[in-house]
């Protein structure tokens, strides 16, 4: 089911709220990156940077990001 217009893409999109606890294969990552290379950017500036983390480093980074988000977000009273 391929979106033909931006409206189609917006009306058929969905959000994932839960993720599996298993690594993404190199083949899937390669396919994602190949597709992402075609993403438009302002004046073809391509400002993105990519970092891939796995294992203990991923766990540490997730914890650090969660702690930062909790400190930056207003807390309910």
């Amino acid at each position: 089911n391929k979106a033909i217009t931006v409206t189609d893409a917006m009306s058929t999109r969905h959000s994932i709220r839960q993720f599996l606890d298993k690594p993404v294969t190199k083949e899937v990552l390669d396919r994602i990156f190949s597709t992402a290379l075609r993403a438009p950017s302002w004046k073809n500036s391509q400002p993105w940077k990519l970092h891939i983390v796995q294992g203990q480093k991923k766990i540490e980074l997730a914890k650090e990001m969660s702690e930062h988000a909790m400190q930056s977000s207003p807390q309910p009273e």
Side-chain angles (χ1 to χ4, degrees):
N1 188 0
K2 206 174 210 183
I4 302 300
T5 66
V6 172
T7 302
D8 290 339
M10 292 173 67
S11 63
T12 59
R13 76 168 207 63
H14 65 281
S15 296
I16 306 300
R17 301 277 188 256
Q18 187 173 2
F19 300 94
L20 298 176
D21 188 19
K22 66 180 193 177
V24 178
T25 66
K26 182 181 181 327
E27 292 76 23
V28 170
L29 289 174
D30 287 343
R31 198 166 63 239
I32 291 169
F33 301 144
S34 293
T35 302
L37 286 172
R38 299 181 180 279
S41 63
W42 181 76
K43 291 182 129 181
N44 200 27
S45 60
Q46 301 180 1
W48 40 81
K49 293 181 182 179
L50 175 68
H51 302 271
I52 300 173
V53 292
Q54 298 176 327
Q56 187 61 35
K57 187 67 174 178
K58 181 188 87 166
I59 294 167
E60 292 168 8
L61 181 60
K63 182 180 178 207
E64 184 179 325
M65 292 173 71
S66 294
E67 289 171 357
H68 180 74
M70 293 301 290
Q71 292 171 0
S72 301
S73 299
Q75 300 298 310
E77 296 181 21

